[in-house]
Amino acid sequence: MGTFLLENAWTLIFIILMINVAYVSLFTLRMMLTLKGVRYGAAVVGMAEITIYVTGLGIVLDNMTSVLHVMAYALGFGIGVIVGMKIEEKLALGYITVNVITKEYEPDIPNRLRDKGYGVTNWVAYGREGERLMMEILTSRKSEKDLFDTVKTLDSKAFIVSHEPKKFNGGFWVKGVRR
């Protein structure tokens, strides 16, 4: 049965495409896990990744009879990058730090964010046009969209920027992070 599937030209092209989508998706996921410090998860994904890679590469090298096979391999690679990124977005591993600068000084905003479960450190900042409220908020990546939407509701003209911290220790976050 396996030989029949590999002898049918269109089936072979589809198999090459799907193997590479799976391989590159796992590669992307492994890299994200590695960057987040999830050692054992990255190792397990890496083992599956290399098994699929060797199998797929072997099939492609054994069937270099058509440019369509190489194109299927390349297309699978590109699709795999997109699929891997989507998987990582859905997993949303880790945390983000969000810096917010309000358009107008509104001292009640930090408490309204705290009421929603966010840890907020705030201070008065001075911009070109006067006093501003500056806030620093650490939250899980899964909560990023909700936090952005909440801030926009509280101040539609707020300047918001987020970045991923590598490590953090102490404070509100040791007790419990909004997940």
Side-chain angles (χ1 to χ4, degrees), residues 5 9-11 13 22 29-30 45 57 64 78 84 92 98 100 116 120 128 132-133 155 158 171:
L5 289 175
W10 290 107
T11 304
I13 288 170
L29 182 59
R30 178 183 53 83
V45 170
L57 188 59
M64 292 291 280
V98 179
V100 178
K116 288 190 157 271
V120 180
R128 178 178 286 188
R132 302 280 188 259
L133 178 65
D155 182 352

PDB file of all heavy atoms in Angstrom, residues 5 9-11 13 22 29-30 45 57 64 78 84 92 98 100 116 120 128 132-133 155 158 171:
ATOM      1  N   LEU A   5       1.063   4.402  -2.832  1.00  0.00           N
ATOM      2  CA  LEU A   5       0.901   5.830  -2.558  1.00  0.00           C
ATOM      3  C   LEU A   5       2.072   6.637  -3.097  1.00  0.00           C
ATOM      4  O   LEU A   5       1.898   7.732  -3.617  1.00  0.00           O
ATOM      5  CB  LEU A   5       0.750   6.082  -1.052  1.00  0.00           C
ATOM      6  CG  LEU A   5      -0.560   5.628  -0.414  1.00  0.00           C
ATOM      7  CD1 LEU A   5      -0.512   5.838   1.097  1.00  0.00           C
ATOM      8  CD2 LEU A   5      -1.747   6.354  -1.017  1.00  0.00           C
ATOM      9  N   ALA A   9       1.659  10.067  -8.664  1.00  0.00           N
ATOM     10  CA  ALA A   9       2.356  11.363  -8.714  1.00  0.00           C
ATOM     11  C   ALA A   9       1.693  12.419  -7.829  1.00  0.00           C
ATOM     12  O   ALA A   9       2.375  13.104  -7.053  1.00  0.00           O
ATOM     13  CB  ALA A   9       2.439  11.852 -10.155  1.00  0.00           C
ATOM     14  N   TRP A  10       0.401  12.578  -7.913  1.00  0.00           N
ATOM     15  CA  TRP A  10      -0.279  13.626  -7.143  1.00  0.00           C
ATOM     16  C   TRP A  10      -0.325  13.294  -5.654  1.00  0.00           C
ATOM     17  O   TRP A  10      -0.216  14.176  -4.807  1.00  0.00           O
ATOM     18  CB  TRP A  10      -1.687  13.896  -7.685  1.00  0.00           C
ATOM     19  CG  TRP A  10      -1.605  14.564  -9.030  1.00  0.00           C
ATOM     20  CD1 TRP A  10      -1.884  13.999 -10.240  1.00  0.00           C
ATOM     21  CD2 TRP A  10      -1.131  15.886  -9.301  1.00  0.00           C
ATOM     22  NE1 TRP A  10      -1.634  14.890 -11.254  1.00  0.00           N
ATOM     23  CE2 TRP A  10      -1.177  16.065 -10.698  1.00  0.00           C
ATOM     24  CE3 TRP A  10      -0.680  16.928  -8.512  1.00  0.00           C
ATOM     25  CZ2 TRP A  10      -0.791  17.255 -11.315  1.00  0.00           C
ATOM     26  CZ3 TRP A  10      -0.300  18.116  -9.128  1.00  0.00           C
ATOM     27  CH2 TRP A  10      -0.350  18.266 -10.505  1.00  0.00           C
ATOM     28  N   THR A  11      -0.465  12.020  -5.345  1.00  0.00           N
ATOM     29  CA  THR A  11      -0.436  11.605  -3.941  1.00  0.00           C
ATOM     30  C   THR A  11       0.944  11.882  -3.348  1.00  0.00           C
ATOM     31  O   THR A  11       1.061  12.377  -2.226  1.00  0.00           O
ATOM     32  CB  THR A  11      -0.788  10.111  -3.805  1.00  0.00           C
ATOM     33  OG1 THR A  11      -2.053   9.878  -4.410  1.00  0.00           O
ATOM     34  CG2 THR A  11      -0.826   9.691  -2.352  1.00  0.00           C
ATOM     35  N   ILE A  13       3.100  14.165  -4.326  1.00  0.00           N
ATOM     36  CA  ILE A  13       3.247  15.618  -4.153  1.00  0.00           C
ATOM     37  C   ILE A  13       2.529  16.063  -2.878  1.00  0.00           C
ATOM     38  O   ILE A  13       3.066  16.849  -2.086  1.00  0.00           O
ATOM     39  CB  ILE A  13       2.718  16.366  -5.399  1.00  0.00           C
ATOM     40  CG1 ILE A  13       3.693  16.150  -6.561  1.00  0.00           C
ATOM     41  CG2 ILE A  13       2.512  17.849  -5.111  1.00  0.00           C
ATOM     42  CD1 ILE A  13       3.178  16.623  -7.904  1.00  0.00           C
ATOM     43  N   ALA A  22       4.231  19.728   8.400  1.00  0.00           N
ATOM     44  CA  ALA A  22       4.366  19.195   9.763  1.00  0.00           C
ATOM     45  C   ALA A  22       5.763  19.456  10.315  1.00  0.00           C
ATOM     46  O   ALA A  22       5.920  19.909  11.461  1.00  0.00           O
ATOM     47  CB  ALA A  22       4.068  17.694   9.776  1.00  0.00           C
ATOM     48  N   LEU A  29       7.682  25.584  16.468  1.00  0.00           N
ATOM     49  CA  LEU A  29       7.245  25.365  17.837  1.00  0.00           C
ATOM     50  C   LEU A  29       8.437  25.043  18.746  1.00  0.00           C
ATOM     51  O   LEU A  29       8.558  25.570  19.851  1.00  0.00           O
ATOM     52  CB  LEU A  29       6.207  24.243  17.892  1.00  0.00           C
ATOM     53  CG  LEU A  29       5.621  23.931  19.252  1.00  0.00           C
ATOM     54  CD1 LEU A  29       4.939  25.164  19.856  1.00  0.00           C
ATOM     55  CD2 LEU A  29       4.637  22.784  19.139  1.00  0.00           C
ATOM     56  N   ARG A  30       9.352  24.201  18.267  1.00  0.00           N
ATOM     57  CA  ARG A  30      10.539  23.862  19.055  1.00  0.00           C
ATOM     58  C   ARG A  30      11.382  25.102  19.338  1.00  0.00           C
ATOM     59  O   ARG A  30      11.869  25.295  20.452  1.00  0.00           O
ATOM     60  CB  ARG A  30      11.390  22.806  18.338  1.00  0.00           C
ATOM     61  CG  ARG A  30      12.666  22.454  19.120  1.00  0.00           C
ATOM     62  CD  ARG A  30      13.546  21.467  18.377  1.00  0.00           C
ATOM     63  NE  ARG A  30      13.877  21.852  17.040  1.00  0.00           N
ATOM     64  CZ  ARG A  30      14.882  22.685  16.713  1.00  0.00           C
ATOM     65  NH1 ARG A  30      15.630  23.226  17.647  1.00  0.00           N
ATOM     66  NH2 ARG A  30      15.128  22.958  15.447  1.00  0.00           N
ATOM     67  N   VAL A  45       9.508  17.749  21.167  1.00  0.00           N
ATOM     68  CA  VAL A  45       9.086  18.258  19.860  1.00  0.00           C
ATOM     69  C   VAL A  45      10.216  18.083  18.849  1.00  0.00           C
ATOM     70  O   VAL A  45       9.977  17.710  17.691  1.00  0.00           O
ATOM     71  CB  VAL A  45       8.640  19.746  19.960  1.00  0.00           C
ATOM     72  CG1 VAL A  45       8.447  20.350  18.587  1.00  0.00           C
ATOM     73  CG2 VAL A  45       7.360  19.866  20.780  1.00  0.00           C
ATOM     74  N   LEU A  57      12.618  14.272   3.735  1.00  0.00           N
ATOM     75  CA  LEU A  57      13.773  14.520   2.882  1.00  0.00           C
ATOM     76  C   LEU A  57      14.120  13.267   2.079  1.00  0.00           C
ATOM     77  O   LEU A  57      14.449  13.349   0.886  1.00  0.00           O
ATOM     78  CB  LEU A  57      14.969  14.970   3.721  1.00  0.00           C
ATOM     79  CG  LEU A  57      16.193  15.447   2.952  1.00  0.00           C
ATOM     80  CD1 LEU A  57      15.850  16.637   2.060  1.00  0.00           C
ATOM     81  CD2 LEU A  57      17.315  15.807   3.913  1.00  0.00           C
ATOM     82  N   MET A  64      13.312  12.764  -7.106  1.00  0.00           N
ATOM     83  CA  MET A  64      13.685  14.033  -7.746  1.00  0.00           C
ATOM     84  C   MET A  64      13.415  13.977  -9.249  1.00  0.00           C
ATOM     85  O   MET A  64      14.151  14.543 -10.039  1.00  0.00           O
ATOM     86  CB  MET A  64      15.156  14.342  -7.476  1.00  0.00           C
ATOM     87  CG  MET A  64      15.457  14.672  -6.040  1.00  0.00           C
ATOM     88  SD  MET A  64      14.774  16.236  -5.537  1.00  0.00           S
ATOM     89  CE  MET A  64      15.971  17.349  -6.208  1.00  0.00           C
ATOM     90  N   GLY A  78       6.954  26.854   3.323  1.00  0.00           N
ATOM     91  CA  GLY A  78       6.323  28.161   3.533  1.00  0.00           C
ATOM     92  C   GLY A  78       5.042  28.057   4.345  1.00  0.00           C
ATOM     93  O   GLY A  78       4.820  28.841   5.280  1.00  0.00           O
ATOM     94  N   GLY A  84       3.142  27.056  11.945  1.00  0.00           N
ATOM     95  CA  GLY A  84       3.909  27.084  13.193  1.00  0.00           C
ATOM     96  C   GLY A  84       3.701  28.373  13.962  1.00  0.00           C
ATOM     97  O   GLY A  84       3.553  28.370  15.188  1.00  0.00           O
ATOM     98  N   ALA A  92       0.513  31.067  23.072  1.00  0.00           N
ATOM     99  CA  ALA A  92       0.850  32.327  23.753  1.00  0.00           C
ATOM    100  C   ALA A  92       1.621  32.082  25.046  1.00  0.00           C
ATOM    101  O   ALA A  92       1.208  32.490  26.129  1.00  0.00           O
ATOM    102  CB  ALA A  92      -0.413  33.142  24.008  1.00  0.00           C
ATOM    103  N   VAL A  98       3.670  45.577  29.498  1.00  0.00           N
ATOM    104  CA  VAL A  98       2.976  46.583  28.712  1.00  0.00           C
ATOM    105  C   VAL A  98       3.201  47.936  29.378  1.00  0.00           C
ATOM    106  O   VAL A  98       2.917  48.096  30.565  1.00  0.00           O
ATOM    107  CB  VAL A  98       1.461  46.272  28.611  1.00  0.00           C
ATOM    108  CG1 VAL A  98       0.747  47.348  27.817  1.00  0.00           C
ATOM    109  CG2 VAL A  98       1.240  44.901  27.992  1.00  0.00           C
ATOM    110  N   VAL A 100       2.108  51.834  29.300  1.00  0.00           N
ATOM    111  CA  VAL A 100       0.990  52.664  28.854  1.00  0.00           C
ATOM    112  C   VAL A 100       1.250  54.098  29.288  1.00  0.00           C
ATOM    113  O   VAL A 100       1.562  54.353  30.448  1.00  0.00           O
ATOM    114  CB  VAL A 100      -0.353  52.177  29.464  1.00  0.00           C
ATOM    115  CG1 VAL A 100      -1.499  53.072  29.023  1.00  0.00           C
ATOM    116  CG2 VAL A 100      -0.620  50.724  29.108  1.00  0.00           C
ATOM    117  N   LYS A 116      -9.490  44.569  37.535  1.00  0.00           N
ATOM    118  CA  LYS A 116      -9.617  43.496  36.536  1.00  0.00           C
ATOM    119  C   LYS A 116      -8.548  42.421  36.721  1.00  0.00           C
ATOM    120  O   LYS A 116      -8.453  41.496  35.931  1.00  0.00           O
ATOM    121  CB  LYS A 116      -9.538  44.084  35.127  1.00  0.00           C
ATOM    122  CG  LYS A 116     -10.773  44.860  34.737  1.00  0.00           C
ATOM    123  CD  LYS A 116     -10.693  45.184  33.257  1.00  0.00           C
ATOM    124  CE  LYS A 116     -12.052  45.444  32.694  1.00  0.00           C
ATOM    125  NZ  LYS A 116     -12.735  44.273  32.197  1.00  0.00           N
ATOM    126  N   VAL A 120      -0.376  46.680  38.436  1.00  0.00           N
ATOM    127  CA  VAL A 120      -0.014  47.934  37.779  1.00  0.00           C
ATOM    128  C   VAL A 120       0.913  48.734  38.684  1.00  0.00           C
ATOM    129  O   VAL A 120       0.616  48.931  39.859  1.00  0.00           O
ATOM    130  CB  VAL A 120      -1.274  48.788  37.476  1.00  0.00           C
ATOM    131  CG1 VAL A 120      -0.892  50.094  36.781  1.00  0.00           C
ATOM    132  CG2 VAL A 120      -2.288  48.008  36.663  1.00  0.00           C
ATOM    133  N   ARG A 128       5.645  66.249  26.232  1.00  0.00           N
ATOM    134  CA  ARG A 128       5.713  67.540  25.557  1.00  0.00           C
ATOM    135  C   ARG A 128       4.537  68.440  25.927  1.00  0.00           C
ATOM    136  O   ARG A 128       4.679  69.648  26.063  1.00  0.00           O
ATOM    137  CB  ARG A 128       5.748  67.331  24.051  1.00  0.00           C
ATOM    138  CG  ARG A 128       5.780  68.633  23.259  1.00  0.00           C
ATOM    139  CD  ARG A 128       5.855  68.384  21.794  1.00  0.00           C
ATOM    140  NE  ARG A 128       7.226  67.944  21.524  1.00  0.00           N
ATOM    141  CZ  ARG A 128       7.727  67.763  20.322  1.00  0.00           C
ATOM    142  NH1 ARG A 128       6.976  67.954  19.272  1.00  0.00           N
ATOM    143  NH2 ARG A 128       8.963  67.383  20.157  1.00  0.00           N
ATOM    144  N   ARG A 132       1.354  63.299  32.274  1.00  0.00           N
ATOM    145  CA  ARG A 132       0.787  62.055  31.753  1.00  0.00           C
ATOM    146  C   ARG A 132       0.829  61.038  32.885  1.00  0.00           C
ATOM    147  O   ARG A 132       1.599  61.172  33.836  1.00  0.00           O
ATOM    148  CB  ARG A 132       1.604  61.501  30.585  1.00  0.00           C
ATOM    149  CG  ARG A 132       1.763  62.428  29.421  1.00  0.00           C
ATOM    150  CD  ARG A 132       0.504  62.412  28.565  1.00  0.00           C
ATOM    151  NE  ARG A 132       0.697  63.160  27.349  1.00  0.00           N
ATOM    152  CZ  ARG A 132       0.244  64.383  27.166  1.00  0.00           C
ATOM    153  NH1 ARG A 132      -0.392  65.005  28.123  1.00  0.00           N
ATOM    154  NH2 ARG A 132       0.426  65.000  26.025  1.00  0.00           N
ATOM    155  N   LEU A 133       0.044  60.013  32.728  1.00  0.00           N
ATOM    156  CA  LEU A 133       0.090  58.885  33.650  1.00  0.00           C
ATOM    157  C   LEU A 133       0.870  57.781  32.950  1.00  0.00           C
ATOM    158  O   LEU A 133       0.541  57.399  31.818  1.00  0.00           O
ATOM    159  CB  LEU A 133      -1.321  58.410  33.989  1.00  0.00           C
ATOM    160  CG  LEU A 133      -1.411  57.202  34.907  1.00  0.00           C
ATOM    161  CD1 LEU A 133      -0.849  57.544  36.287  1.00  0.00           C
ATOM    162  CD2 LEU A 133      -2.856  56.758  35.035  1.00  0.00           C
ATOM    163  N   ASP A 155      -8.823  54.819  27.871  1.00  0.00           N
ATOM    164  CA  ASP A 155      -8.222  55.996  27.236  1.00  0.00           C
ATOM    165  C   ASP A 155      -7.918  55.636  25.789  1.00  0.00           C
ATOM    166  O   ASP A 155      -6.897  55.015  25.490  1.00  0.00           O
ATOM    167  CB  ASP A 155      -6.946  56.421  27.966  1.00  0.00           C
ATOM    168  CG  ASP A 155      -6.317  57.681  27.370  1.00  0.00           C
ATOM    169  OD1 ASP A 155      -6.767  58.147  26.298  1.00  0.00           O
ATOM    170  OD2 ASP A 155      -5.368  58.193  27.976  1.00  0.00           O
ATOM    171  N   ALA A 158      -4.411  56.506  24.421  1.00  0.00           N
ATOM    172  CA  ALA A 158      -3.223  56.096  25.168  1.00  0.00           C
ATOM    173  C   ALA A 158      -2.177  55.518  24.219  1.00  0.00           C
ATOM    174  O   ALA A 158      -2.504  54.881  23.220  1.00  0.00           O
ATOM    175  CB  ALA A 158      -3.587  55.061  26.219  1.00  0.00           C
ATOM    176  N   GLY A 171       7.385  40.990  43.921  1.00  0.00           N
ATOM    177  CA  GLY A 171       6.225  41.840  43.692  1.00  0.00           C
ATOM    178  C   GLY A 171       4.924  41.069  43.574  1.00  0.00           C
ATOM    179  O   GLY A 171       4.790  39.922  43.990  1.00  0.00           O
TER     180      GLY A 171
END
